[in-house]
Amino acid sequence: MKVYTFASLKGGTGKSSTTITAAECCAAAGKKVLVLDMDINNSCSFYFLQDSNESDRSNIAYALQSDNLSDFVIKTKNGNINIIPSSLRLVDLRAMSISILKRLMVTLNNRYDAVFIDTAPTYDNIVLNAINAADYVITPINYDQFNFNTSVFLGQKLRLETESFDKWFLFFNGYESRYDSNLESLQNQYQLLFSQHDILGKKLLPVRFPFTRNMRKFADTNELLCSKGQTEKLHNAVCDLCSLLLEEEIRPEKF
Ligand SMILES: Nc1ncnc2c1ncn2[C@@H]1O[C@H](COP(=O)(O)OP(=O)(O)O)[C@@H](O)[C@H]1O
Ligand SMILES: [Mg+2]
């Protein structure tokens, strides 16, 4: 069982979209997946659960205060995906100690191939729990200055305050091929800025999610991503990311 935490200090970079698409992709490839929604914004819980009442009793806030995560797992309509949903009660835990989740992970008894954790765009003790519990910390980045600044800052924090710096990687979300030929484009300039940075340059994964409205449609309308047709590029990119993360070929025809 490997644990993947999606984290970024900047909001709207694609943490939740990546958690959702990666979970569906791995599940379609036959992997058993658990999603932990640790962002009170609830994006993943909203996507995976029809009945929000289910999370009144089974949620990540109660789970973090328990001695067994398995008691708080909810099944989704995809038989390969379980979730522990988010809760507003997380705000009461923001001063909790930072290795609780890591210690609780063993209570899942290796029942999953992959655990994907979605987090809020901040650096509090809730996020630190998710970071400390992870085998890999993944930061989706967009092509702009604040993404660059916050990535440099997050790298410093991880290096100085956690043991997760070596497990931390970034990938670009929102790539548009039409800018490729224009060397002056912001996309090319930020690609260069990130890749030439002494630390961030070594952290960039060889995968880019394209900018496409299919991302939003996927989360909002349950539209499938297929290996052919309009959704091909996003489909391929999600498969590429999952294959890198799980260290094996993950390439279901659709999910
Ligand atoms: N590759 C993409 N192309 C187009 N829209 C995207 C892409 N990735 C994310 N979005 C949209 O951007 C918004 C923020 O994405 P989200 O995954 O919720 O970010 P975060 O969880 O980091 O705040 C959402 O409306 C989502 O649909
Ligand atoms: Mg989110």
Side-chain angles (χ1 to χ4, degrees):
M1 185 174 91
K2 285 276 192 295
V3 182
Y4 306 92
T5 291
F6 296 101
S8 68
L9 295 180
K10 174 149 184 350
T13 60
K15 294 175 293 301
S16 300
S17 303
T18 309
T19 308
I20 292 169
T21 49
E24 292 279 10
C25 178
C26 292
K31 301 294 174 191
K32 297 269 177 226
V33 176
L34 176 66
V35 173
L36 300 187
D37 189 352
M38 296 184 74
D39 181 0
I40 56 166
N41 280 294
N42 232 23
S43 311
C44 290
S45 309
F46 192 72
Y47 171 82
F48 283 110
L49 297 177
Q50 282 73 42
D51 178 7
S52 59
N53 290 333
E54 280 180 296
S55 58
D56 287 353
R57 289 157 150 274
S58 282
N59 61 57
I60 190 66
Y62 290 152
L64 286 169
Q65 297 173 84
S66 79
D67 53 15
N68 191 345
L69 292 181
S70 300
D71 294 341
F72 299 86
V73 162
I74 298 179
K75 292 187 172 133
T76 74
K77 64 177 192 304
N78 181 328
N80 279 343
I81 304 180
N82 288 356
I83 183 169
I84 302 182
S86 182
S87 161
L88 288 171
R89 295 263 163 238
L90 269 182
V91 298
D92 299 330
L93 303 182
R94 63 194 180 280
M96 72 187 289
S97 100
I98 57 175
S99 342
I100 303 237
L101 182 63
K102 184 184 171 77
R103 266 186 267 132
L104 282 170
M105 276 299 166
V106 295
T107 64
L108 294 172
N109 289 323
N110 279 313
R111 220 171 305 124
Y112 300 95
D113 299 301
V115 179
F116 293 113
I117 308 181
D118 191 20
T119 65
T122 181
Y123 190 80
D124 61 9
N125 286 18
I126 308 288
V127 175
L128 276 167
N129 264 278
I131 287 172
N132 288 333
D135 295 294
Y136 293 97
V137 178
I138 311 293
T139 300
I141 43 174
N142 310 142
Y143 301 87
D144 68 40
Q145 188 64 44
F146 198 55
N147 267 277
F148 181 75
N149 295 351
T150 49
S151 298
V152 172
F153 187 79
L154 179 59
Q156 285 167 351
K157 294 299 256 184
L158 293 178
R159 192 158 48 87
L160 297 173
E161 298 176 7
T162 74
E163 289 170 4
S164 301
F165 180 73
D166 292 340
K167 309 168 187 169
W168 176 56
F169 298 95
L170 309 121
F171 77 96
F172 280 111
N173 177 29
Y175 162 76
E176 291 183 81
S177 57
R178 64 189 165 121
Y179 295 127
D180 272 353
S181 54
N182 178 3
L183 290 179
E184 306 284 292
S185 69
L186 285 177
Q187 180 172 289
N188 274 328
Q189 293 190 28
Y190 280 106
Q191 170 80 48
L192 212 60
L193 191 63
F194 273 93
S195 58
Q196 292 184 343
H197 187 268
D198 53 354
I199 289 165
L200 303 182
K202 299 187 192 93
K203 294 291 190 176
L204 280 176
L205 292 175
V207 50
R208 290 182 297 206
F209 278 16
F211 183 85
T212 164
R213 64 198 174 94
N214 294 131
M215 186 64 110
R216 200 187 196 128
K217 268 169 94 181
F218 183 86
D220 288 355
T221 65
N222 287 328
E223 194 195 54
L224 292 182
L225 300 184
C226 306
S227 62
K228 295 202 173 64
Q230 234 194 28
T231 56
E232 177 182 348
K233 284 188 179 139
L234 182 56
H235 170 279
N236 282 342
V238 176
C239 291
D240 289 346
L241 180 69
C242 291
S243 300
L244 277 173
L245 296 183
L246 275 74
E247 295 179 42
E248 66 174 89
E249 190 70 354
I250 304 284
R251 211 160 288 277
E253 220 162 278
K254 54 180 158 204
F255 55 86

